[in-house]
Amino acid sequence: MISRRSAICLAVIGLSTAASMGGALAQDYPTRPVKWVVGYPPGGATDIIARLLGQRLSERLGQQFVIENKPGAGNNIATESVINAEPDGYTLLFVNPANYINASLYANLKFNVVRDIAPVAAFNRVPNVMTVNKDVPAKTAAEFIAYVKANPGKVNLASSGNGTSVHLSGEMFMAMAGVKMQHVPYRGAAPAITDLLGGQVQLIFDNMPSILQHVRAGSVRALAVTGTARSPLLPDVPVLADTIPGYEASALFGMGAPKNTPKAVIEKLNKEINAVLAEPAIKARLLDLGGEPLIGPPEAFGAMIVAETDKWKKVIEEAKVEKVQ
């Protein structure tokens, strides 16, 4: 029989061996191409960020970071494919707002993002822009709230689809401002903006990258941004929290990996991503896309994921948003 002392010694040796193997794995990683799964088609802001960072990671680490676009089911197909992948650092997920929202929006998910995805690193936060048709008389968020109250049943809120951050930003606004508008969902931001320009709808809380050109052209009017601070892209536009204290809605982007991915691999990826985010050219490009880089450890990104998931769950429950079966 093995004595208790011998058993403890063997356990310690095993842990030490595992740690050294993990360190060796991180030192060599990656030795082959890495697949980075994005739950949207090519060409959108999410895909642009992935390709921007993926190119620099490929150059720094000497192996190709291959972007695999896997749209469908509101990002769930992409997420599930990564969750079920081998936890070896060679299949990664582009984490985005759909992941936090879907945790409460979908009734029968086969996974739990907080439990099943290991946070690697945050990239940036991009605020939405509270934007109205130029024929709406309101020039501020407070004036718009008064306008809605004075015109019950006549104001339409556009979104890029049910359950999107664009939609739920509007639901949060209605709940916190004590107003009611008719929600008009579209199949994406482009047709929603077209109808906003045409006056068929009066308001949208759209993502910064897709609405910015129209604001700058004067085709629509930005009343507020939904982050915690003014955006350098729209420095004259106040934050909505100035009018509605506590309001915050932004798109948080980052990288995740299957749970049980070796800690040493996650730490190496985190270190490399933070180095890329600190590069002046990358920082400038991310600012152009709407949000400053977020540099920090995996644990900080994990805490953000939990906070975002809890926030959108509350909005979905309070707005009684119908769950997707």
Side-chain angles (χ1 to χ4, degrees), residues 165-207:
S165 67
V166 178
H167 169 209
L168 296 180
S169 295
E171 293 287 356
M172 188 191 302
F173 170 78
M174 287 192 284
M176 295 181 73
V179 297
K180 185 64 180 174
M181 294 175 282
Q182 179 64 41
H183 173 224
V184 183
Y186 291 82
R187 291 181 176 273
I193 292 173
T194 297
D195 276 7
L196 181 72
L197 292 169
Q200 287 83 3
V201 292
Q202 287 70 49
L203 173 69
I204 192 170
F205 282 83
D206 199 24
N207 304 135

mmCIF file of all heavy atoms in Angstrom, residues 165-207:
data_model
loop_
_atom_site.group_PDB
_atom_site.id
_atom_site.type_symbol
_atom_site.label_atom_id
_atom_site.label_comp_id
_atom_site.label_asym_id
_atom_site.label_seq_id
_atom_site.Cartn_x
_atom_site.Cartn_y
_atom_site.Cartn_z
ATOM 1 N N SER A 165 -28.560 44.636 -29.104
ATOM 2 C CA SER A 165 -28.212 45.696 -28.155
ATOM 3 C C SER A 165 -28.868 47.010 -28.553
ATOM 4 O O SER A 165 -29.172 47.849 -27.695
ATOM 5 C CB SER A 165 -26.693 45.870 -28.067
ATOM 6 O OG SER A 165 -26.156 46.368 -29.279
ATOM 7 N N VAL A 166 -29.098 47.197 -29.858
ATOM 8 C CA VAL A 166 -29.780 48.396 -30.349
ATOM 9 C C VAL A 166 -31.212 48.435 -29.808
ATOM 10 O O VAL A 166 -31.688 49.464 -29.317
ATOM 11 C CB VAL A 166 -29.766 48.425 -31.891
ATOM 12 C CG1 VAL A 166 -30.512 49.641 -32.424
ATOM 13 C CG2 VAL A 166 -28.332 48.408 -32.413
ATOM 14 N N HIS A 167 -31.895 47.298 -29.884
ATOM 15 C CA HIS A 167 -33.258 47.190 -29.358
ATOM 16 C C HIS A 167 -33.279 47.380 -27.844
ATOM 17 O O HIS A 167 -34.046 48.195 -27.306
ATOM 18 C CB HIS A 167 -33.830 45.819 -29.733
ATOM 19 C CG HIS A 167 -35.106 45.478 -29.037
ATOM 20 N ND1 HIS A 167 -35.469 44.168 -28.754
ATOM 21 C CD2 HIS A 167 -36.107 46.244 -28.525
ATOM 22 C CE1 HIS A 167 -36.630 44.173 -28.128
ATOM 23 N NE2 HIS A 167 -37.041 45.414 -27.980
ATOM 24 N N LEU A 168 -32.424 46.661 -27.146
ATOM 25 C CA LEU A 168 -32.478 46.666 -25.683
ATOM 26 C C LEU A 168 -31.983 47.987 -25.093
ATOM 27 O O LEU A 168 -32.413 48.372 -23.999
ATOM 28 C CB LEU A 168 -31.692 45.489 -25.119
ATOM 29 C CG LEU A 168 -32.273 44.109 -25.495
ATOM 30 C CD1 LEU A 168 -31.437 42.996 -24.892
ATOM 31 C CD2 LEU A 168 -33.722 43.972 -25.049
ATOM 32 N N SER A 169 -31.135 48.688 -25.806
ATOM 33 C CA SER A 169 -30.754 50.043 -25.363
ATOM 34 C C SER A 169 -31.987 50.939 -25.341
ATOM 35 O O SER A 169 -32.164 51.762 -24.436
ATOM 36 C CB SER A 169 -29.696 50.639 -26.295
ATOM 37 O OG SER A 169 -28.495 49.908 -26.238
ATOM 38 N N GLY A 170 -32.854 50.768 -26.352
ATOM 39 C CA GLY A 170 -34.106 51.524 -26.394
ATOM 40 C C GLY A 170 -35.071 51.111 -25.308
ATOM 41 O O GLY A 170 -35.753 51.956 -24.702
ATOM 42 N N GLU A 171 -35.140 49.817 -25.025
ATOM 43 C CA GLU A 171 -36.013 49.328 -23.955
ATOM 44 C C GLU A 171 -35.556 49.863 -22.606
ATOM 45 O O GLU A 171 -36.369 50.257 -21.758
ATOM 46 C CB GLU A 171 -36.028 47.795 -23.940
ATOM 47 C CG GLU A 171 -36.675 47.138 -25.143
ATOM 48 C CD GLU A 171 -38.198 47.253 -25.150
ATOM 49 O OE1 GLU A 171 -38.781 47.783 -24.185
ATOM 50 O OE2 GLU A 171 -38.809 46.808 -26.138
ATOM 51 N N MET A 172 -34.234 49.891 -22.397
ATOM 52 C CA MET A 172 -33.698 50.427 -21.151
ATOM 53 C C MET A 172 -34.039 51.912 -21.027
ATOM 54 O O MET A 172 -34.411 52.385 -19.947
ATOM 55 C CB MET A 172 -32.177 50.233 -21.089
ATOM 56 C CG MET A 172 -31.565 50.583 -19.735
ATOM 57 S SD MET A 172 -29.739 50.672 -19.758
ATOM 58 C CE MET A 172 -29.321 49.052 -20.334
ATOM 59 N N PHE A 173 -33.942 52.629 -22.143
ATOM 60 C CA PHE A 173 -34.284 54.051 -22.149
ATOM 61 C C PHE A 173 -35.752 54.257 -21.783
ATOM 62 O O PHE A 173 -36.082 55.108 -20.934
ATOM 63 C CB PHE A 173 -34.000 54.644 -23.534
ATOM 64 C CG PHE A 173 -34.531 56.038 -23.726
ATOM 65 C CD1 PHE A 173 -33.863 57.122 -23.190
ATOM 66 C CD2 PHE A 173 -35.703 56.259 -24.444
ATOM 67 C CE1 PHE A 173 -34.350 58.417 -23.361
ATOM 68 C CE2 PHE A 173 -36.197 57.539 -24.622
ATOM 69 C CZ PHE A 173 -35.516 58.621 -24.080
ATOM 70 N N MET A 174 -36.638 53.494 -22.389
ATOM 71 C CA MET A 174 -38.066 53.650 -22.097
ATOM 72 C C MET A 174 -38.357 53.382 -20.626
ATOM 73 O O MET A 174 -39.127 54.116 -19.989
ATOM 74 C CB MET A 174 -38.894 52.734 -23.000
ATOM 75 C CG MET A 174 -38.955 53.193 -24.444
ATOM 76 S SD MET A 174 -40.213 52.318 -25.428
ATOM 77 C CE MET A 174 -39.420 50.730 -25.693
ATOM 78 N N ALA A 175 -37.737 52.327 -20.084
ATOM 79 C CA ALA A 175 -37.990 51.966 -18.680
ATOM 80 C C ALA A 175 -37.475 53.048 -17.735
ATOM 81 O O ALA A 175 -38.166 53.447 -16.783
ATOM 82 C CB ALA A 175 -37.339 50.628 -18.364
ATOM 83 N N MET A 176 -36.271 53.558 -17.997
ATOM 84 C CA MET A 176 -35.661 54.514 -17.073
ATOM 85 C C MET A 176 -36.212 55.924 -17.250
ATOM 86 O O MET A 176 -36.214 56.717 -16.309
ATOM 87 C CB MET A 176 -34.138 54.500 -17.244
ATOM 88 C CG MET A 176 -33.498 53.171 -16.862
ATOM 89 S SD MET A 176 -31.683 53.152 -17.030
ATOM 90 C CE MET A 176 -31.203 54.182 -15.625
ATOM 91 N N ALA A 177 -36.694 56.241 -18.472
ATOM 92 C CA ALA A 177 -37.250 57.582 -18.718
ATOM 93 C C ALA A 177 -38.744 57.636 -18.457
ATOM 94 O O ALA A 177 -39.323 58.741 -18.403
ATOM 95 C CB ALA A 177 -36.965 57.999 -20.157
ATOM 96 N N GLY A 178 -39.379 56.475 -18.312
ATOM 97 C CA GLY A 178 -40.816 56.441 -18.069
ATOM 98 C C GLY A 178 -41.639 56.834 -19.276
ATOM 99 O O GLY A 178 -42.674 57.495 -19.158
ATOM 100 N N VAL A 179 -41.173 56.426 -20.473
ATOM 101 C CA VAL A 179 -41.910 56.716 -21.706
ATOM 102 C C VAL A 179 -42.170 55.416 -22.454
ATOM 103 O O VAL A 179 -41.542 54.387 -22.195
ATOM 104 C CB VAL A 179 -41.136 57.695 -22.621
ATOM 105 C CG1 VAL A 179 -40.953 59.038 -21.936
ATOM 106 C CG2 VAL A 179 -39.780 57.118 -23.034
ATOM 107 N N LYS A 180 -43.086 55.488 -23.416
ATOM 108 C CA LYS A 180 -43.428 54.317 -24.215
ATOM 109 C C LYS A 180 -43.416 54.681 -25.687
ATOM 110 O O LYS A 180 -44.014 55.675 -26.105
ATOM 111 C CB LYS A 180 -44.811 53.778 -23.819
ATOM 112 C CG LYS A 180 -45.190 52.482 -24.524
ATOM 113 C CD LYS A 180 -44.253 51.349 -24.134
ATOM 114 C CE LYS A 180 -44.638 50.057 -24.842
ATOM 115 N NZ LYS A 180 -43.655 48.977 -24.580
ATOM 116 N N MET A 181 -42.713 53.881 -26.484
ATOM 117 C CA MET A 181 -42.686 54.042 -27.935
ATOM 118 C C MET A 181 -42.996 52.708 -28.591
ATOM 119 O O MET A 181 -42.896 51.644 -27.961
ATOM 120 C CB MET A 181 -41.302 54.532 -28.391
ATOM 121 C CG MET A 181 -40.935 55.934 -27.925
ATOM 122 S SD MET A 181 -39.229 56.393 -28.381
ATOM 123 C CE MET A 181 -38.293 55.496 -27.130
ATOM 124 N N GLN A 182 -43.361 52.753 -29.852
ATOM 125 C CA GLN A 182 -43.599 51.532 -30.619
ATOM 126 C C GLN A 182 -42.279 51.025 -31.163
ATOM 127 O O GLN A 182 -41.589 51.732 -31.903
ATOM 128 C CB GLN A 182 -44.570 51.808 -31.771
ATOM 129 C CG GLN A 182 -44.868 50.603 -32.645
ATOM 130 C CD GLN A 182 -45.593 49.497 -31.887
ATOM 131 O OE1 GLN A 182 -46.489 49.777 -31.099
ATOM 132 N NE2 GLN A 182 -45.196 48.250 -32.117
ATOM 133 N N HIS A 183 -41.901 49.795 -30.818
ATOM 134 C CA HIS A 183 -40.657 49.228 -31.320
ATOM 135 C C HIS A 183 -40.875 48.657 -32.718
ATOM 136 O O HIS A 183 -41.789 47.872 -32.947
ATOM 137 C CB HIS A 183 -40.153 48.118 -30.378
ATOM 138 C CG HIS A 183 -38.978 47.377 -30.926
ATOM 139 N ND1 HIS A 183 -38.870 45.997 -30.875
ATOM 140 C CD2 HIS A 183 -37.849 47.819 -31.550
ATOM 141 C CE1 HIS A 183 -37.739 45.625 -31.440
ATOM 142 N NE2 HIS A 183 -37.101 46.711 -31.850
ATOM 143 N N VAL A 184 -40.011 49.056 -33.656
ATOM 144 C CA VAL A 184 -40.076 48.572 -35.039
ATOM 145 C C VAL A 184 -38.757 47.871 -35.360
ATOM 146 O O VAL A 184 -37.746 48.532 -35.621
ATOM 147 C CB VAL A 184 -40.320 49.732 -36.030
ATOM 148 C CG1 VAL A 184 -40.468 49.178 -37.457
ATOM 149 C CG2 VAL A 184 -41.543 50.548 -35.628
ATOM 150 N N PRO A 185 -38.732 46.532 -35.310
ATOM 151 C CA PRO A 185 -37.483 45.816 -35.596
ATOM 152 C C PRO A 185 -37.246 45.654 -37.098
ATOM 153 O O PRO A 185 -38.184 45.459 -37.866
ATOM 154 C CB PRO A 185 -37.706 44.454 -34.937
ATOM 155 C CG PRO A 185 -39.198 44.258 -34.980
ATOM 156 C CD PRO A 185 -39.810 45.630 -34.879
ATOM 157 N N TYR A 186 -35.997 45.731 -37.512
ATOM 158 C CA TYR A 186 -35.607 45.539 -38.909
ATOM 159 C C TYR A 186 -34.611 44.381 -38.990
ATOM 160 O O TYR A 186 -34.078 43.927 -37.982
ATOM 161 C CB TYR A 186 -34.965 46.809 -39.475
ATOM 162 C CG TYR A 186 -35.920 47.961 -39.654
ATOM 163 C CD1 TYR A 186 -36.267 48.781 -38.577
ATOM 164 C CD2 TYR A 186 -36.476 48.244 -40.899
ATOM 165 C CE1 TYR A 186 -37.148 49.845 -38.736
ATOM 166 C CE2 TYR A 186 -37.359 49.307 -41.068
ATOM 167 C CZ TYR A 186 -37.689 50.103 -39.981
ATOM 168 O OH TYR A 186 -38.563 51.153 -40.146
ATOM 169 N N ARG A 187 -34.346 43.956 -40.216
ATOM 170 C CA ARG A 187 -33.340 42.917 -40.439
ATOM 171 C C ARG A 187 -31.977 43.584 -40.652
ATOM 172 O O ARG A 187 -31.495 43.679 -41.783
ATOM 173 C CB ARG A 187 -33.711 42.039 -41.630
ATOM 174 C CG ARG A 187 -34.923 41.148 -41.388
ATOM 175 C CD ARG A 187 -35.210 40.282 -42.596
ATOM 176 N NE ARG A 187 -36.294 39.366 -42.354
ATOM 177 C CZ ARG A 187 -36.180 38.159 -41.815
ATOM 178 N NH1 ARG A 187 -34.980 37.717 -41.470
ATOM 179 N NH2 ARG A 187 -37.231 37.380 -41.636
ATOM 180 N N GLY A 188 -31.427 44.110 -39.583
ATOM 181 C CA GLY A 188 -30.137 44.771 -39.660
ATOM 182 C C GLY A 188 -30.256 46.277 -39.553
ATOM 183 O O GLY A 188 -31.347 46.855 -39.646
ATOM 184 N N ALA A 189 -29.105 46.931 -39.373
ATOM 185 C CA ALA A 189 -29.088 48.373 -39.155
ATOM 186 C C ALA A 189 -29.373 49.164 -40.420
ATOM 187 O O ALA A 189 -30.005 50.224 -40.370
ATOM 188 C CB ALA A 189 -27.734 48.788 -38.582
ATOM 189 N N ALA A 190 -28.929 48.680 -41.582
ATOM 190 C CA ALA A 190 -29.054 49.454 -42.821
ATOM 191 C C ALA A 190 -30.504 49.820 -43.155
ATOM 192 O O ALA A 190 -30.796 51.008 -43.389
ATOM 193 C CB ALA A 190 -28.401 48.709 -43.984
ATOM 194 N N PRO A 191 -31.450 48.872 -43.177
ATOM 195 C CA PRO A 191 -32.832 49.274 -43.476
ATOM 196 C C PRO A 191 -33.453 50.129 -42.379
ATOM 197 O O PRO A 191 -34.303 50.983 -42.663
ATOM 198 C CB PRO A 191 -33.567 47.933 -43.618
ATOM 199 C CG PRO A 191 -32.721 46.929 -42.916
ATOM 200 C CD PRO A 191 -31.321 47.406 -43.075
ATOM 201 N N ALA A 192 -33.016 49.933 -41.138
ATOM 202 C CA ALA A 192 -33.531 50.764 -40.042
ATOM 203 C C ALA A 192 -33.097 52.218 -40.234
ATOM 204 O O ALA A 192 -33.895 53.150 -40.066
ATOM 205 C CB ALA A 192 -33.033 50.237 -38.701
ATOM 206 N N ILE A 193 -31.838 52.413 -40.607
ATOM 207 C CA ILE A 193 -31.331 53.768 -40.826
ATOM 208 C C ILE A 193 -32.014 54.405 -42.033
ATOM 209 O O ILE A 193 -32.324 55.604 -42.032
ATOM 210 C CB ILE A 193 -29.799 53.742 -40.990
ATOM 211 C CG1 ILE A 193 -29.142 53.353 -39.658
ATOM 212 C CG2 ILE A 193 -29.283 55.097 -41.461
ATOM 213 C CD1 ILE A 193 -27.653 53.130 -39.752
ATOM 214 N N THR A 194 -32.266 53.601 -43.064
ATOM 215 C CA THR A 194 -32.965 54.122 -44.248
ATOM 216 C C THR A 194 -34.318 54.710 -43.865
ATOM 217 O O THR A 194 -34.686 55.813 -44.296
ATOM 218 C CB THR A 194 -33.163 53.014 -45.298
ATOM 219 O OG1 THR A 194 -31.875 52.572 -45.745
ATOM 220 C CG2 THR A 194 -33.954 53.504 -46.495
ATOM 221 N N ASP A 195 -35.054 53.986 -43.025
ATOM 222 C CA ASP A 195 -36.366 54.494 -42.600
ATOM 223 C C ASP A 195 -36.250 55.638 -41.607
ATOM 224 O O ASP A 195 -37.142 56.500 -41.540
ATOM 225 C CB ASP A 195 -37.197 53.351 -42.012
ATOM 226 C CG ASP A 195 -37.924 52.553 -43.093
ATOM 227 O OD1 ASP A 195 -37.670 52.820 -44.286
ATOM 228 O OD2 ASP A 195 -38.735 51.663 -42.753
ATOM 229 N N LEU A 196 -35.176 55.681 -40.823
ATOM 230 C CA LEU A 196 -34.948 56.832 -39.944
ATOM 231 C C LEU A 196 -34.714 58.082 -40.786
ATOM 232 O O LEU A 196 -35.272 59.147 -40.511
ATOM 233 C CB LEU A 196 -33.746 56.578 -39.030
ATOM 234 C CG LEU A 196 -33.416 57.699 -38.035
ATOM 235 C CD1 LEU A 196 -34.454 57.750 -36.915
ATOM 236 C CD2 LEU A 196 -32.018 57.506 -37.437
ATOM 237 N N LEU A 197 -33.922 57.949 -41.840
ATOM 238 C CA LEU A 197 -33.657 59.079 -42.731
ATOM 239 C C LEU A 197 -34.938 59.547 -43.411
ATOM 240 O O LEU A 197 -35.136 60.748 -43.640
ATOM 241 C CB LEU A 197 -32.621 58.677 -43.791
ATOM 242 C CG LEU A 197 -31.199 58.401 -43.287
ATOM 243 C CD1 LEU A 197 -30.367 57.755 -44.381
ATOM 244 C CD2 LEU A 197 -30.536 59.683 -42.812
ATOM 245 N N GLY A 198 -35.816 58.582 -43.725
ATOM 246 C CA GLY A 198 -37.052 58.908 -44.414
ATOM 247 C C GLY A 198 -38.176 59.366 -43.518
ATOM 248 O O GLY A 198 -39.227 59.805 -44.000
ATOM 249 N N GLY A 199 -37.981 59.255 -42.194
ATOM 250 C CA GLY A 199 -38.990 59.726 -41.255
ATOM 251 C C GLY A 199 -40.064 58.721 -40.897
ATOM 252 O O GLY A 199 -41.002 59.051 -40.165
ATOM 253 N N GLN A 200 -39.928 57.469 -41.387
ATOM 254 C CA GLN A 200 -40.902 56.437 -41.009
ATOM 255 C C GLN A 200 -40.765 56.056 -39.533
ATOM 256 O O GLN A 200 -41.724 55.628 -38.900
ATOM 257 C CB GLN A 200 -40.747 55.190 -41.891
ATOM 258 C CG GLN A 200 -41.252 55.350 -43.308
ATOM 259 C CD GLN A 200 -40.216 56.007 -44.215
ATOM 260 O OE1 GLN A 200 -39.097 56.291 -43.792
ATOM 261 N NE2 GLN A 200 -40.589 56.264 -45.464
ATOM 262 N N VAL A 201 -39.552 56.176 -38.998
ATOM 263 C CA VAL A 201 -39.302 55.976 -37.570
ATOM 264 C C VAL A 201 -38.565 57.215 -37.062
ATOM 265 O O VAL A 201 -37.942 57.951 -37.843
ATOM 266 C CB VAL A 201 -38.471 54.699 -37.299
ATOM 267 C CG1 VAL A 201 -39.265 53.449 -37.629
ATOM 268 C CG2 VAL A 201 -37.157 54.717 -38.101
ATOM 269 N N GLN A 202 -38.671 57.464 -35.764
ATOM 270 C CA GLN A 202 -38.134 58.718 -35.224
ATOM 271 C C GLN A 202 -36.840 58.562 -34.435
ATOM 272 O O GLN A 202 -36.102 59.536 -34.249
ATOM 273 C CB GLN A 202 -39.196 59.372 -34.314
ATOM 274 C CG GLN A 202 -40.367 59.983 -35.056
ATOM 275 C CD GLN A 202 -41.271 58.956 -35.690
ATOM 276 O OE1 GLN A 202 -41.685 57.987 -35.037
ATOM 277 N NE2 GLN A 202 -41.605 59.147 -36.953
ATOM 278 N N LEU A 203 -36.545 57.368 -33.948
ATOM 279 C CA LEU A 203 -35.410 57.201 -33.026
ATOM 280 C C LEU A 203 -34.744 55.856 -33.225
ATOM 281 O O LEU A 203 -35.404 54.852 -33.508
ATOM 282 C CB LEU A 203 -35.901 57.299 -31.575
ATOM 283 C CG LEU A 203 -34.903 56.984 -30.462
ATOM 284 C CD1 LEU A 203 -33.819 58.058 -30.361
ATOM 285 C CD2 LEU A 203 -35.614 56.825 -29.119
ATOM 286 N N ILE A 204 -33.419 55.836 -33.064
ATOM 287 C CA ILE A 204 -32.678 54.584 -33.004
ATOM 288 C C ILE A 204 -31.504 54.762 -32.046
ATOM 289 O O ILE A 204 -30.935 55.857 -31.934
ATOM 290 C CB ILE A 204 -32.172 54.138 -34.401
ATOM 291 C CG1 ILE A 204 -31.660 52.695 -34.363
ATOM 292 C CG2 ILE A 204 -31.083 55.071 -34.905
ATOM 293 C CD1 ILE A 204 -31.380 52.105 -35.726
ATOM 294 N N PHE A 205 -31.173 53.701 -31.340
ATOM 295 C CA PHE A 205 -29.966 53.653 -30.499
ATOM 296 C C PHE A 205 -28.948 52.792 -31.235
ATOM 297 O O PHE A 205 -28.674 51.663 -30.853
ATOM 298 C CB PHE A 205 -30.284 53.053 -29.128
ATOM 299 C CG PHE A 205 -30.963 53.992 -28.181
ATOM 300 C CD1 PHE A 205 -32.333 54.183 -28.241
ATOM 301 C CD2 PHE A 205 -30.252 54.692 -27.229
ATOM 302 C CE1 PHE A 205 -32.984 55.049 -27.366
ATOM 303 C CE2 PHE A 205 -30.879 55.564 -26.351
ATOM 304 C CZ PHE A 205 -32.251 55.741 -26.423
ATOM 305 N N ASP A 206 -28.391 53.323 -32.314
ATOM 306 C CA ASP A 206 -27.561 52.488 -33.173
ATOM 307 C C ASP A 206 -26.113 52.468 -32.707
ATOM 308 O O ASP A 206 -25.652 53.343 -31.977
ATOM 309 C CB ASP A 206 -27.643 52.987 -34.617
ATOM 310 C CG ASP A 206 -27.194 51.933 -35.615
ATOM 311 O OD1 ASP A 206 -27.252 50.736 -35.286
ATOM 312 O OD2 ASP A 206 -26.756 52.298 -36.710
ATOM 313 N N ASN A 207 -25.392 51.443 -33.190
ATOM 314 C CA ASN A 207 -23.964 51.342 -32.898
ATOM 315 C C ASN A 207 -23.225 52.511 -33.541
ATOM 316 O O ASN A 207 -23.558 52.951 -34.645
ATOM 317 C CB ASN A 207 -23.397 50.026 -33.434
ATOM 318 C CG ASN A 207 -24.122 48.811 -32.895
ATOM 319 O OD1 ASN A 207 -24.444 47.897 -33.645
ATOM 320 N ND2 ASN A 207 -24.403 48.775 -31.603
#
